[in-house]
Amino acid sequence: MNASNDAFVEFDRVQKSYDGETLVVKDLNLGIGKGEFLTMLGPSGSGKTTCLMMLAGFETATHGDIRLDGRPINSVPPHKRGIGMVFQNYALFPHMTVAENLAFPLQVRKMGKDEIETRVKRALDMVQMGDFGGRRPAQLSGGQQQRVAVARALVFDPELVLMDEPLGALDKQLREQMQFEIKHIHEQLGVTVVYVTHDQSEALTMSDRIAVFNDGRIQQLAPPPDLYERPENSFVAQFIGENNTLDATIAERDGEFVKVEFVDGSTGQALAVNCGGPGEKTRLSLRPERVTFAQPGEWGVAGKVKELIYLGDHIRVRMQVLGNNDFVVKVPNASRHATLSVGETASLSWVAEDCRALDAA
Amino acid sequence: MAEATANGDIAPDEHRSASGQLLAADGTPLKKSIRRSEARARLRAFLLVAPLLIFVLLSFIAPIADMLFRSVENEIVADTLPRTVEALDAWDPQTGPPPEPVYRAFYDDMLEATELKIHTRLGSRLNYEESGMSSLFRKTNERRLERFDLDQPLQPQFVDLDKDWGEVEPWAVIKTFAPRYTWGYFLQAADMRLTPGGVEMAPEFEQIYLKLFWRTILLSCTITLSCLLLGYPVAWLLSNLPARSANLLMILVLLPFWTSLLVRTSAWKVLLQEQGVINDILVYIGIVSDAGRLVMINNQTGTIIAMTHILLPFMVLPLYSVMKTIPPSYLRAAKSLGATDWTAFWRVYFPQSVPGIGAGAILVFILAIGYYITPELVGGTDGTFISNRIAFHISTSLNWGLAAALGSLLLILVLGLYWLYDRIVGIDNVKLG
């Protein structure tokens, strides 16, 4: 999706380079709607944090415009942008109490004492930290600090809040709990959130839309289900969720589908998503849970069982299929599931729509 | 209640003595077992420290203790004139010159003292209290005493030797300083004096030490403050630069450390003197006229400039090590919350750098207050410190008692300021790294 004119936050052909030789962010176009929860997801070094820092005003864009509510903010200093931000390590001021931390943005805005008190209390109550106003950040647990950091970023009623991997330092259980809390706060307040993470499950759980970053570009911008079920290129397919890949050559095109020829000469059908014409290489993407064992007489490819991992609700079968040693099939632990043993050969099958022919990169 | 729950948690295989002490498996008290099992480790730790400990004790602590003792020690009078001191015990200076038995005792004492040639030493000691005593004792030498006729009263013969012996004054001084321990040196160090009539302030023109102490404190504070003002931005830059440039800058900060103190101080002499580099440049540019060259050396300005330069690294290093631990995200957070650069610095960064300021300030101040070489070389007369006066009494006037008293006062002063600092800033807030 390209930057549209009614977007609340807009990146317009933004580029960023630190050393003048390589671009960290390459030609970024992104529009974020008001009240949206948008996640920038990507491996480290993909440019997602740089984008966030440019939006916050801590980095300057080398080229292009960043607009907030229609007005360019490239030359507006960070403290005048009115954007709330939650930092990776919370950045709670250690020499101030929780209440003083929350009062800080209100004091620099020269609010009255009574109003500050009311707002601080309201913000603390919102994150269920009402009783902790007098504590120092060091006296709080990681999850509590996280809540205070969120409250501080929201206490001055910004319309846009940026979160830079805010849950990275928490343990798994707490992280999942905080994901929901942040999501609920977002729904309650209707504030626009731009969230940076490298954790895909976090992105899938919380976001309205996810922008998958790699190599300084947005690879795909889509709502979570689309991203998982309809990846547009190999990187996204591989980065989001578990994925089986099969290398093949396109034999012929057939409407929405293509006929592909595998390395061993056998053929199959796939959905043409992002592939070239006949004769060109392609990489097929197939989710493990969409692979089934072929009924006798049905189309299928041969796979050899390499490893069985019992996971309770399902059994993970690692197989050798068409030269791929890490082809994974998930067999649900249903009452009459197929029993397999290592070394056995089985015939695998799938629906052509689930097998996406993507770029060969 | 807490006790009960704590006991409830104890596993059944733990042993306890009748008194409730925890016992080891073989029945000895657990605490004793721990002590025994860790005795070797403690012994090894002690042996590792022992050489340094002995060295410090012998070469540092003991001499200092000895010096401090000298500030109250006053055995010379009682040792040199034992009989006189005893005879003067009953004498009251109000009643006029002492009676004949005192002169008799004094004659015997002096005869012995002159033979050992220690009477002049006593003279110099008493001269600290009353000028003229040194020459009086020197005059009363062996040759003169031998000519005395012991069958005649001795008083007129002493008066004949020097008419001062007929006065009350010298005898009163001897009587006042007869005790083996005295506060006299400390009183002198505080511009007071012990006279036969009691403690009184020294005459106006002799009052220098209090002024000197005050000047030492004032100049040390000035130097500490200028070190802070000059060092803070440098430390900030150091802690925010990328590692490579920071290392280069750090070398520049440490460069003065690698040059001899004397060389640096002499360099300042070359720069600051009236015919020196700085004045020459100022005259050349035309900022000052040739007649109006600035006096920047051999006064307080010289001391402040040279010592600020020398002590600057002691401010920069603790500041740097503290600032290094302040994540840049705090400043960013403050700005994102709407604070201007200045507010972000003053309300968020500065309070967190206070431990570094505390450490640097206390380090520089304590070093400055006892500094000797630099004020000696560039301080002239009004830029010298109390330590210069102590050195003078140690090596020139040889009044070690007074030097010791001044040194003790300086030590007490530093400890007192340290205590004050602890009360105000809190010593836990000091962080060296």
Side-chain angles (χ1 to χ4, degrees):
Chain A
M1 179 177 152
N2 274 334
S4 56
N5 285 332
D6 55 347
F8 181 56
V9 178
E10 205 177 341
F11 286 88
D12 187 5
R13 310 212 60 177
V14 172
Q15 292 182 314
K16 173 70 185 175
S17 174
Y18 286 104
D19 54 5
E21 284 166 18
T22 49
L23 283 170
V24 186
V25 174
K26 298 168 185 163
D27 195 23
L28 179 81
N29 293 292
L30 174 62
I32 303 168
K34 199 156 185 148
E36 190 177 7
F37 194 120
L38 182 122
T39 298
M40 295 178 172
L41 174 69
S44 54
S46 59
K48 57 189 195 304
T49 299
T50 306
C51 285
L52 197 74
M53 289 300 165
M54 285 193 287
L55 187 50
F58 299 125
E59 300 287 355
T60 51
T62 311
H63 174 82
D65 279 335
I66 300 172
R67 281 189 285 274
L68 181 64
D69 212 3
R71 102 199 121 87
I73 53 168
N74 290 39
S75 54
V76 178
H79 68 270
K80 288 193 179 145
R81 295 193 181 190
I83 299 175
M85 184 152 180
V86 180
F87 289 82
Q88 204 164 4
N89 295 310
Y90 321 135
L92 296 175
F93 307 139
H95 58 292
M96 298 182 190
T97 63
V98 167
E100 285 165 349
N101 262 285
L102 262 70
F104 183 83
L106 307 177
Q107 283 166 354
V108 299
R109 286 177 171 74
K110 309 231 183 317
M111 277 185 194
K113 222 170 175 186
D114 295 338
E115 184 169 7
I116 290 179
E117 215 164 289
T118 334
R119 279 182 177 238
V120 167
K121 194 174 170 328
R122 200 174 61 202
L124 281 178
D125 286 342
M126 180 180 70
V127 292
Q128 287 110 49
M129 291 287 292
D131 299 334
F132 294 87
R135 300 258 193 112
R136 291 283 164 108
Q139 295 168 309
L140 301 179
S141 71
Q144 291 170 332
Q145 292 187 33
Q146 175 56 57
R147 292 198 176 125
V148 175
V150 170
R152 189 179 65 174
L154 292 167
V155 73
F156 58 98
D157 291 342
E159 293 188 310
L160 174 63
V161 177
L162 312 181
M163 301 195 181
D164 182 15
E165 307 211 16
L167 306 180
L170 302 181
D171 61 57
K172 191 168 175 292
Q173 216 174 352
L174 203 52
R175 197 157 61 213
E176 281 167 6
Q177 191 192 338
M178 285 306 298
Q179 285 171 12
F180 288 113
E181 284 188 26
I182 291 176
K183 187 70 192 149
H184 289 154
I185 288 173
H186 165 249
E187 281 162 5
Q188 248 174 48
L189 301 180
V191 64
T192 311
V193 177
V194 179
Y195 192 100
V196 161
T197 182
H198 62 261
D199 181 337
Q200 47 154 310
S201 72
E202 203 167 290
L204 293 172
T205 321
M206 305 174 78
S207 321
D208 293 332
R209 280 193 302 162
I210 299 173
V212 181
F213 274 72
N214 189 43
D215 194 25
R217 285 180 201 282
I218 295 182
Q219 302 290 332
Q220 189 172 349
L221 175 67
D226 281 7
L227 213 54
Y228 184 80
E229 282 163 33
R230 286 182 284 281
E232 275 168 8
N233 58 44
S234 296
F235 175 82
V236 175
Q238 197 64 33
F239 192 74
I240 307 281
E242 213 171 353
N243 182 47
N244 289 315
T245 58
L246 291 172
D247 287 324
T249 315
I250 293 171
E252 61 185 80
R253 226 171 155 121
D254 171 19
E256 276 192 6
F257 296 93
V258 281
K259 196 172 171 197
V260 294
E261 191 181 316
F262 296 113
V263 278
D264 67 346
S266 63
T267 57
Q269 261 205 327
L271 190 69
V273 179
N274 184 12
C275 60
E280 283 186 59
K281 295 262 178 213
T282 182
R283 180 166 281 177
L284 306 180
S285 156
L286 195 56
R287 297 290 179 196
E289 65 273 15
R290 299 291 170 95
V291 181
T292 53
F293 291 100
Q295 301 296 323
E298 210 182 12
W299 173 88
V301 293
K304 193 175 174 195
V305 179
K306 307 288 278 184
E307 196 178 9
L308 292 160
I309 301 165
Y310 181 76
L311 286 165
D313 61 335
H314 72 270
I315 298 153
R316 225 176 112 93
V317 188
R318 185 164 71 80
M319 304 183 87
Q320 187 184 36
V321 177
L322 297 168
N324 182 353
N325 257 325
D326 290 311
F327 197 95
V328 173
V329 182
K330 282 183 184 169
V331 182
N333 196 356
S335 34
R336 276 200 307 264
H337 69 84
T339 45
L340 294 163
S341 52
V342 175
E344 199 182 319
T345 309
S347 180
L348 299 171
S349 174
W350 53 79
V351 185
E353 281 90 345
D354 290 335
C355 181
R356 298 171 69 83
L358 304 173
D359 53 312
Chain B
M1 279 306 282
E3 185 86 359
T5 47
N7 284 339
D9 289 337
I10 290 168
D13 61 346
E14 276 182 7
H15 303 280
R16 276 179 182 264
S17 70
S19 61
Q21 256 186 324
L22 217 50
L23 299 181
D26 62 350
T28 51
L30 196 59
K31 285 193 173 159
K32 198 169 153 193
S33 283
I34 290 174
R35 265 203 305 280
R36 200 185 302 152
S37 62
E38 285 175 359
R40 273 183 73 89
R42 271 210 306 276
L43 181 68
R44 194 172 53 189
F46 176 76
L47 286 177
L48 286 172
V49 179
L52 180 62
L53 189 67
I54 293 167
F55 173 77
V56 168
L57 274 177
L58 291 181
S59 67
F60 194 66
I61 307 279
I64 285 179
D66 181 60
M67 259 331 272
L68 295 185
F69 179 64
R70 277 169 196 273
S71 62
V72 290
E73 185 259 11
N74 184 42
E75 302 207 307
I76 189 164
V77 180
D79 281 352
T80 319
L81 308 171
R83 284 166 279 234
T84 319
V85 167
E86 211 174 299
L88 279 171
D89 204 28
W91 170 67
D92 180 1
Q94 306 293 327
T95 59
E100 178 67 10
V102 172
Y103 287 92
R104 208 36 86 176
F106 184 62
Y107 178 81
D108 293 342
D109 284 338
M110 281 302 278
L111 211 56
E112 260 172 49
T114 49
E115 205 168 310
L116 294 167
K117 295 199 167 28
I118 53 173
H119 64 294
T120 50
R121 217 183 290 166
L122 178 63
S124 337
R125 164 67 186 95
L126 292 174
N127 202 55
Y128 299 149
E129 312 299 340
E130 180 72 42
S131 50
M133 289 297 269
S134 181
S135 61
L136 187 60
F137 271 82
R138 214 176 305 118
K139 229 171 176 181
T140 317
N141 56 27
E142 201 176 1
R143 195 161 40 80
R144 300 285 290 272
L145 289 174
E146 272 167 1
R147 268 191 252 143
F148 276 31
D149 182 354
L150 294 182
D151 296 334
Q152 301 294 317
L154 290 179
Q155 184 185 9
Q157 301 184 55
F158 268 107
V159 175
D160 197 33
L161 194 154
D162 191 312
K163 67 171 174 31
D164 277 354
W165 286 128
E167 304 288 326
V168 176
E169 201 60 22
W171 300 105
V173 170
I174 293 174
K175 187 178 158 74
T176 311
F177 289 91
R180 289 181 176 272
Y181 299 99
T182 176
W183 290 109
Y185 293 124
F186 275 102
L187 291 170
Q188 266 189 48
D191 282 338
M192 286 180 271
R193 48 195 281 184
L194 191 62
T195 61
V199 176
E200 59 181 46
M201 288 306 287
E204 196 78 32
F205 65 93
E206 275 181 28
Q207 292 184 8
I208 55 166
Y209 297 114
L210 287 183
K211 221 179 347 177
L212 214 51
F213 269 116
W214 180 237
R215 182 202 289 165
T216 305
I217 294 173
L218 220 59
L219 283 184
S220 299
C221 285
T222 314
I223 289 161
T224 308
L225 201 67
S226 31
C227 277
L228 180 63
L229 290 179
L230 294 175
Y232 198 94
V234 176
W236 190 84
L237 190 63
L238 264 175
S239 56
N240 283 290
L241 279 178
R244 267 182 55 174
S245 347
N247 283 342
L248 186 72
L249 195 60
M250 183 58 106
I251 288 173
L252 293 180
V253 169
L254 291 177
L255 206 59
F257 267 151
W258 304 341
T259 325
S260 145
L261 183 66
L262 222 53
V263 172
R264 270 180 286 158
T265 308
S266 310
W268 279 114
K269 282 193 116 145
V270 175
L271 287 172
L272 294 177
Q273 60 185 281
E274 266 178 78
Q275 300 301 322
V277 179
I278 291 176
N279 264 315
D280 280 352
I281 290 173
L282 290 180
V283 170
Y284 180 77
I285 298 173
I287 291 177
V288 297
S289 69
D290 198 29
R293 282 171 180 261
L294 302 173
V295 184
M296 294 182 291
I297 200 146
N298 296 330
N299 58 12
Q300 294 188 359
T301 318
T303 305
I304 292 171
I305 292 176
M307 280 183 62
T308 300
H309 170 241
I310 285 161
L311 295 177
L312 198 55
F314 294 100
M315 181 65 86
V316 173
L317 291 179
L319 274 177
Y320 168 68
S321 69
V322 168
M323 287 178 176
K324 195 81 188 149
T325 63
I326 306 174
S329 62
Y330 287 138
L331 272 182
R332 288 185 164 186
K335 284 183 208 168
S336 81
L337 293 171
T340 57
D341 287 351
W342 169 252
T343 314
F345 166 77
W346 183 245
R347 294 222 23 219
V348 173
Y349 195 86
F350 183 78
Q352 295 186 64
S353 68
V354 163
I357 296 177
I362 201 167
L363 202 61
V364 169
F365 184 80
I366 286 179
L367 281 171
I369 208 168
Y371 230 70
Y372 163 67
I373 298 180
T374 306
E376 181 73 24
L377 291 177
V378 300
T381 49
D382 69 346
T384 50
F385 281 11
I386 194 71
S387 47
N388 300 102
R389 203 65 199 166
I390 296 175
F392 167 78
H393 284 305
I394 291 273
S395 56
T396 310
S397 82
L398 301 181
N399 189 352
W400 286 18
L402 180 56
L406 287 170
S408 307
L409 279 185
L410 188 61
L411 187 63
I412 292 165
L413 185 75
V414 169
L415 291 178
L417 287 170
Y418 181 81
W419 175 82
L420 200 69
Y421 183 91
D422 186 32
R423 291 294 301 272
I424 297 169
V425 183
I427 213 70
D428 325 337
N429 271 334
V430 167
K431 217 160 79 177
L432 283 169

